[in-house]
Each structure stands twice: as structure tokens, then as C-alpha cells.
Amino acid sequence: MLKRPATFATPPDRLLPLEAQIEHEELMALIAAADEAYHGRDAPEISDAEYDGLRRRMEAIEVAFPLLAARGLAGKVGSRAQDKFAKVRHRVPMLSLANSFTATDVADFVGRIRSFLGLGAEEPVVLTAEPKIDGLSLSLRYEGGRLVQAATRGDGEEGEDVTTNARTIADIPQRLGGDVPAVFEVRGEVYLGHADFAALNARQREAGDKEFANPRNAAAGSLRQLDPAITAARPLRFFAYAWGEAERLPAASQFGIVEAFGGWGLPINPLMRRCDSVETLLAHYAAIEAMRASLGYDIDGVVYKVDRIDWQQRLGFVGRAPRWATAHKFPAEKAMTRIEAIDIQVGRTGALTPVAKLSPVTVGGVVVSNATLHNADEIARLDVRIGDMVVVQRAGDVIPQVVEVVAGQRPANTEAYVFPHVCPCDLKTDVMKETTAAGVESVVRRCTGEFACPFQRIEHLKHFCSRRAFDIEGFGDKQIAFFFEKGLIREPADIFALQTRDEAPGNLQRLQNYEGFGEVSIRNLFAAIEARRTIGLERLIFALGIRHVGETTAKMLARNYGSWVAFDAACMRVAAGEADAMLEMDAIDQIGESVIEAIRAYFGEDHNRAIVDRLAAQLTIVDAEKAVAESPVAGKTVVFTGALEKMTRDEAKAMAERLGAKVAGSVSKKTDLVVAGPGAGSKLKAASDLGIEVIDEDGWLALVGG
Ligand code: IVH
């Protein structure tokens, strides 16, 4: 084994450049040798603590001598600078949490768990309660106990590879100790403490750099640094609280698993408790809230999680959030300021949203100068006027809102606000109030210009390029607005024709002639667009921006139709009013009348059709995953009748839907399978009359492998 370098004890910033270079090389060699011993020969020669010490020393030197960072160990351990981050597909998606705001919400949450699992009144539901850290989530993949990859959450399915940066965070062990599963993804929150945040902003100020609005932005900016030396110089911290892919779990409870994390050397939050009633949850919430200001880091609520892992598994997910957890948020923070103007914004679907322009004010650490007033009815309810003093509030990521007008502070000569009757776009199109299918008048006023309205067009393009849709790198709202104004991009297909048009002989509107577009940035932009020319069906459907078709609906549609050709054909048939096609779409889980109506309207419009056709002609569309179709009940219609003894109805339904089946309430010719328990009556008879297969609960569990 190599000897420890002689200069090891000198603080890195006191090393001479040549000394630093020599020591850096020695350290790289030591680390490489240790890696080889550990992995290649399975015979570690130094302790984990020593190993971590070497890495930290190397990283400290790289902070003091950033040029050395660029030399790295051929990508193996070195902190090499990169152009941009590689993408990492999460093997287990990184989900979000549903929110609770009141004690009633919390009681309802626990109530839903009880009823889903069919628990008796006496049976306690134990939950963990812990602070919700206001940072950014990170997934750390350990193989053989060694950190091999760190990835940001991204859109939950795909994040960014920030391994090199994560390695510079002292809280994150390079190696875990103890009985660690062969593969284990630890998930948790990266954050910045209050004192470190203040010091960082002071440094930024001195250097004439931009200050960060809050610790979370600072943490995010620090982790997503292309130069790892910068990350290393920011004292990021980490708390572990969840997991992704795991070869096995170290315990059968949430609490036990997080405790095991602590035993492996990961930092865990000391305020995690087990609670066995709504009252104890609320008491712990109150205790944490009371400590909030003195914790030294930002938290924005308390997270409750069902402790038993087998229950977590049974409860599963709705959309992107687990049924077994909720974030009990702290009340929104408020501040007072004056309204300087009221602007109208036009959204993607033409909805007119009034926005209050405020005298800038700090609300919970963030400077706010815009707040939503929601709609015309809300303005009327508040009777808010330009010049009024108002209370604004913000909670977490939510857009700040105006909550009330401060009485007695209204200046003289104000006038009640009159909501515009025409769209602020050049077309001055009429603004309509809609009525829902049930005949209720909506509070939303909408511009009827659709794709003719430049505001809607541009919002469509923004949605199209957004992170969860086409996610074109370097093609944010600003760039879209620029291309739109210059008339270079009017609709999605234009994005994919940009390069061909730009390079066409005789084109006088070359990008390179615009300020801010250098050769490299143009090349990068074209490469980013090319990278998205191949797109998954579900992303494409979501990107189309059809009303009511969010991500979950897009996914359901994609999984059901499988290919673009099939989806497109079905939509055309729906648009033509074909009953069969509508019924087929209606049979898809989570899809109902409003979605079908929106699809009918969208595809029924020739203008939209042409836009979609031109777009599809530019793309290579990847069929949706058929994973679900492999289940024995995928695509089948199942009816549950009689009593179930091993699970509740809700649970049975959720299980069936997870496996791609549709659950119906009554037996008809369309039913494929009836699961009958004791006490089944008319439905069982109907099934036998129609010759439909009937099985009991055990048969069902055997069929679906439960
Ligand atoms: S659990 C499947 N626990 O909150 C549930 N999340 O709003 C996984 N967060 O993306 C999350 N503190 O970034 C969990 N103690 C905590 C948390 C926490 C902060 C963040 C996390 C997540 C977001 C959801």
C-alpha cells in the first residue's frame, strides 16, 4: 500500500501550488489503490473512516486549487468539470407528497388509511412524524456500501447526475458501514443551514455576485454547479429519510429503516417520532412548530408516514403521491404591501388571470412583487382596488396570493376594478364565461381566440417545452418568447424545423445574426432540440396541452393505446362523435366525460389537427411501455361482489387498477371477471346467466400474485 503523503497535515490553502499538485496526485493514487483493493480484490486495506478522510482531503485541495479538480481520475473519482449533467433514470420514481393544512385534514388522512386497510376501531395506526426539510431531494445509490451515483429528483422519473458534486458534501458518506444491502438507494434532502446561508450571501455580496433569495435556492444552485469546486465550497448538509431501489430493507418499519440509516453513518433528523394517534401527531407537529425558528435550517411542515412497510405497500399511490404519507404544512406566511397595478395574464387555455403588481415586500424570506387575484369574482369579493394596502401570503411553492384588503387604508379617489371584456391580446377577442356540463357558470373568463390569440400560442409553446413535456434544454420561457416575437417559431413543429430553416440557403434571418447567439450556443440549442426529436408517447400526449389532460391522464391514454397511430386514430374517431370510440376511451381508468369532451373539441378543430399533424411528421414517437399489459388482468373489466375478507373494496379496486384492469360496479356483457365473496347475490347470478368467469377472493389473490 502507498504511504500517506508527507504534507497531509498542512491546511490546503497554505500549500504551494506544486505541493498541492504532488499531494493531489498521491491522493488520487491512494484512492484508486483503495478502490481496487475494495472492489477488485474484495480486500479493503484501509478503514472507511480513513478512506473518507482521503477523499475529503483531496476535495479540500481541489477547492483551494480548482484547476486540480479538472484533472480528476479519468472520471473515476476525480471531480471533473462537465458541460452539463447527464440524465439519470430513477429505477424507482421519486414521488411527491400530498398536503394537509388543518387538523381535520390530518384526521381525514388517518381515516382514509383506516378505511382503505379495513382496520377495526381498536387497532392503532402508528405513523412517523418528522420535519419536512425545505431543501431539494437527492437520491444516493450505494452499491456494496459505496456511493456510486447521486441524482437530483428532476421530474421524478429522470433526474440529473450530480455524483461529483454530491461527493463534496461532508454529510454524505462515501461508504456506508455495517450490514448494508448490496444495492441501496438512500433518498433525502440537501439543504443549507441559516448561518451558512447568511455567510454565503455575505460572500456573494462582497464579490458583487447575485445574492440568493432563500436557503433552498442557494442549496439548489450550489448542488447544480458545473464546477464541483464551487459546490465543495458551499457547506451543504443532508438528511436521509426515504429510499428507492433496495436489494432488501433493513427493517419492517419506516422508523426502523431510518434508524438503520443512522447506523450506517447517514445523518438522520433527530426529531423523528412514532405516534399512534391523530392527537399525538398534532402534538408533535405543535412541538416542531414551536422549535422552528431555532432549528437553524428551514422546514415548511411535518411529514407523517405509515410506519408499517407492509401497510405502505398495500396502500400504494394515487397519481404521484403515496396514500401512506402526507405533508402537514405550516400556515402560510403573510405580509402587507400596496397594489400598484392590476395586470391580466392569459394562460394556455385562454383563462384570464388578474395579477396584482405589488410594491416589493419580503414574505417569509422571499421578495414578492406579484400576487394572484385568481379571477373576477375574487376581485369583486375582496373589492380590491389599485392603490389599496393588502395582505399577501405565500406557502411553499404556491404562487403568492392577495388575501385581504387592509381596512381604513384606502387612498382617496380609488375606483372599483372593472374586469376587461376583451382579451388584452392584439385581437381584442371577446372574453367568455363558461358553463360546465352541469349548467354551473364558471368563475373563469376565457379568451375565445384559442390558437389565434398570441398569448395562448406562446403559453402553449411554453407548456410544450416544459420540463415534464418536451424538456428541451436551454429552451426556457425567455428563449421561447424571443423566437416567437421574431416569428421564427409559431407552433411546436417549427421548433424541429428550426435548424433546417436556419441553414437554408438564402435565409436572411440567421440566428447567428442575433445578439447573444454565438456559434456554440446555436450548436447546443440545435443539439438539445435533436435530442428530443425522439419522444415517448405519454410525454407527447401531455405536451399537446389538451385541456384536462395532465400527466396522469396522458399516461393512462398512452398505456391504453400504446402507439401514436392508435391514439391519433382513436382521437379522430372521438372527434367524429363515434360512440364506440368514446366508450372505449371512457373505459380507461381515470378518464371520464370532461377529458373525452376536451379531446373531442381539440381534435375536432381543423386548425389544431393541422398543428398536430405537422408536429407528428417531425418526430419519432416511442410506443408507451406495455408493462401493465403483462398482468393477467390488464385491460379486463372486473366486478367485485359480496364480502371481501383479506382486503377492503378500496384496496381491491386500487390493486386491480394498478394491474391495468378496470373495476366496474355492475355485471354486464362487458365484464370479464367477477370476484365473489360470501353473501354475493344478484351480481353473481347475472354473471352465471351471462357465462362470465367467477372466482373467489383467494382465487383473485392467486391470479394477481397478492
Ligand atoms: S418523504 C414518497 N420526508 O418533500 C415520499 N419528503 O413534497 C417521499 N421532503 O420531494 C418523500 N422533507 O423533497 C419526505 N422528511 C421528509 C421530507 C420530504 C422534505 C421533500 C422531498 C419531497 C417533497 C414532497
Side-chain angles (χ1 to χ4, degrees):
M1 194 190 138
L2 281 144
K3 281 209 325 283
R4 169 175 289 204
T7 51
F8 200 78
T10 314
D13 54 359
R14 302 250 299 273
L15 290 171
L16 297 170
L18 189 61
E19 287 178 319
Q21 189 182 336
I22 292 169
E23 188 182 340
H24 187 255
E25 267 167 20
E26 286 178 313
L27 283 163
M28 286 201 299
L30 278 172
I31 291 168
D35 282 346
E36 218 281 314
Y38 190 85
H39 282 299
R41 287 176 273 126
D42 214 13
E45 291 178 351
I46 56 173
S47 73
D48 288 356
E50 270 180 296
Y51 182 88
D52 281 347
L54 291 178
R55 291 205 71 114
R56 246 176 240 146
R57 174 73 180 171
M58 182 175 78
E59 280 148 12
I61 292 178
E62 288 178 352
V63 173
F65 298 89
L67 280 179
L68 293 177
R71 298 173 149 230
L73 251 187
K76 213 162 163 237
V77 292
S79 312
R80 276 199 310 163
Q82 318 153 318
D83 300 352
K84 58 178 183 187
F85 299 102
K87 298 276 184 203
V88 176
R89 182 145 276 280
H90 297 301
R91 290 173 173 84
V92 175
M94 288 181 82
L95 299 143
S96 50
L97 294 169
N99 290 329
S100 300
F101 296 98
T102 61
T104 316
D105 291 348
V106 176
D108 289 350
F109 161 70
V110 177
R112 279 195 302 275
I113 291 168
R114 286 190 164 283
S115 99
F116 190 94
L117 296 173
L119 303 179
E122 297 304 307
E123 185 149 18
V125 178
V126 177
L127 297 116
T128 58
E130 72 203 54
K132 182 169 191 298
I133 316 297
D134 198 6
L136 65 149
S137 45
L138 186 68
S139 188
L140 302 171
R141 187 175 175 85
Y142 287 89
E143 285 176 10
R146 284 218 40 208
L147 178 63
V148 294
Q149 188 170 62
T152 61
R153 178 170 187 272
D155 64 4
E157 309 277 339
E158 197 178 69
E160 286 181 320
D161 186 334
V162 291
T163 314
T164 315
N165 289 345
R167 288 195 196 284
T168 68
I169 300 176
D171 265 1
I172 295 178
Q174 302 291 331
R175 274 193 201 178
L176 299 178
D179 181 21
V180 182
V183 172
F184 202 96
E185 287 176 6
V186 174
R187 290 180 176 171
E189 204 83 352
V190 172
Y191 66 98
L192 199 58
H194 290 156
D196 291 328
F197 169 69
L200 170 62
N201 261 356
R203 284 204 303 277
Q204 295 284 107
R205 205 162 39 238
E206 276 160 30
D209 290 335
K210 204 169 163 269
E211 290 180 51
F212 294 99
N214 55 47
R216 183 166 50 132
N217 288 0
S222 304
L223 187 65
R224 296 187 72 260
Q225 275 293 336
L226 290 175
D227 180 356
I230 299 182
T231 311
R234 310 241 173 108
L236 293 172
R237 310 287 315 263
F238 182 77
F239 277 129
Y241 54 65
W243 56 95
E245 192 183 18
E247 176 240 346
R248 68 185 153 81
L249 294 176
S253 68
Q254 175 75 34
F255 196 87
I257 293 171
V258 176
E259 266 191 328
F261 288 174
W264 296 346
L266 289 155
I268 58 173
N269 193 286
L271 296 171
M272 177 178 67
R273 298 278 181 278
R274 267 184 170 128
C275 301
D276 63 0
S277 68
V278 172
E279 291 68 37
T280 46
L281 287 175
L282 295 177
H284 194 46
Y285 172 90
I288 291 177
E289 194 179 15
M291 280 183 264
R292 187 177 182 187
S294 56
L295 288 176
Y297 50 87
D298 273 359
I299 63 172
D300 57 349
V302 178
V303 183
Y304 307 141
K305 301 173 187 169
V306 168
D307 195 36
R308 277 178 61 162
I309 301 301
D310 56 340
W311 284 2
Q312 287 189 2
Q313 279 158 354
R314 281 175 60 190
L315 285 155
F317 299 85
V318 221
R320 308 183 67 84
R323 268 195 200 86
W324 45 265
T326 189
H328 188 178
K329 298 303 248 336
F330 292 134
E333 308 202 50
K334 298 184 181 179
M336 265 201 300
T337 187
R338 204 168 287 283
I339 298 211
E340 292 178 345
I342 297 177
D343 280 3
I344 298 288
Q345 279 180 3
V346 185
R348 173 165 59 88
T349 59
L352 267 53
T353 306
V355 177
K357 298 281 159 183
L358 310 165
S359 306
V361 61
T362 306
V363 192
V366 175
V367 178
V368 167
S369 44
N370 294 312
T372 180
L373 286 161
H374 299 292
N375 52 50
D377 287 17
E378 178 73 357
I379 295 187
R381 188 183 71 80
L382 296 167
D383 180 25
V384 44
R385 301 177 181 197
I386 297 166
D388 272 345
M389 202 63 187
V390 291
V391 175
V392 287
Q393 72 172 28
R394 64 169 274 278
D397 286 339
V398 185
I399 303 166
Q401 49 187 172
V402 173
V403 282
E404 65 183 296
V405 173
V406 182
Q409 295 219 27
R410 174 165 288 170
N413 304 326
T414 60
E415 285 169 22
Y417 181 77
V418 182
F419 204 87
H421 290 281
V422 291
C423 178
C425 71
D426 299 341
L427 298 172
K428 307 252 181 301
T429 32
D430 286 347
V431 169
M432 301 266 292
K433 269 197 177 188
E434 282 182 4
T435 23
T436 64
V440 181
E441 194 171 74
S442 154
V443 293
V444 178
R445 311 239 177 136
R446 235 174 257 284
C447 162
T448 49
E450 299 242 355
F451 276 103
C453 166
F455 289 121
Q456 291 186 57
R457 281 190 99 114
I458 199 163
E459 290 307 317
H460 257 283
L461 285 167
K462 285 182 190 165
H463 168 78
F464 184 85
C465 298
S466 63
R467 205 166 65 150
R468 294 177 189 283
F470 269 72
D471 190 22
I472 300 174
E473 181 115 18
F475 208 63
D477 291 0
K478 257 207 229 130
Q479 286 78 5
I480 294 169
F482 170 83
F483 284 109
F484 189 79
E485 272 165 29
K486 299 286 173 214
L488 292 168
I489 290 177
R490 310 284 303 168
E491 62 177 64
D494 295 342
I495 298 172
F496 294 96
L498 195 61
Q499 182 169 8
T500 320
R501 288 199 192 147
D502 194 61
E503 292 169 359
N507 173 22
L508 299 175
Q509 238 194 327
R510 290 250 159 126
L511 280 185
Q512 64 194 37
N513 299 334
Y514 289 109
E515 211 193 343
F517 281 94
E519 208 180 306
V520 179
S521 64
I522 295 175
R523 202 173 340 118
N524 285 345
L525 179 63
F526 289 159
I529 292 172
E530 264 331 286
R532 289 292 184 260
R533 196 181 283 280
T534 300
I535 191 92
L537 181 60
E538 53 188 72
R539 265 186 191 257
L540 171 61
I541 297 176
F542 173 64
L544 292 180
I546 305 166
R547 275 183 75 192
H548 304 301
V549 180
E551 267 183 297
T552 309
T553 310
K555 189 181 253 175
M556 301 313 278
L557 288 164
R559 294 231 167 139
N560 184 74
Y561 293 108
S563 70
W564 170 255
V565 174
F567 171 73
D568 192 43
C571 293
M572 285 312 286
R573 294 179 54 211
V574 166
E578 287 182 32
D580 264 17
M582 290 200 189
L583 280 176
E584 192 191 332
M585 200 172 275
D586 194 36
I588 303 172
D589 179 31
Q590 295 183 41
I591 289 182
E593 222 172 288
S594 58
V595 170
I596 295 175
E597 175 48 32
I599 287 179
R600 200 195 56 67
Y602 189 99
F603 283 83
E605 182 69 57
D606 288 347
H607 186 72
N608 292 350
R609 280 279 345 144
I611 287 180
V612 169
D613 287 347
R614 285 193 288 268
L615 170 65
Q618 294 278 354
L619 304 172
T620 304
I621 305 162
V622 181
D623 289 354
E625 283 169 39
K626 287 282 197 162
V628 170
E630 280 156 26
S631 107
V633 294
K636 302 222 165 132
T637 301
V638 182
V639 172
F640 291 93
T641 181
L644 295 175
E645 284 157 348
K646 302 204 165 116
M647 55 191 160
T648 62
R649 270 297 165 87
D650 280 347
E651 188 178 357
K653 184 164 184 275
M655 183 191 267
E657 287 174 353
R658 200 160 55 228
L659 295 166
K662 165 146 178 92
V663 179
S666 60
V667 175
S668 73
K669 275 191 299 199
K670 294 211 156 194
T671 311
D672 296 297
L673 181 65
V674 171
V675 182
S682 62
K683 289 182 196 169
L684 185 55
K685 179 161 181 314
S688 69
D689 289 349
L690 291 165
I692 294 165
E693 186 186 353
V694 178
I695 56 175
D696 64 8
E697 190 177 1
D698 285 336
W700 164 255
L701 286 170
L703 182 65
V704 299

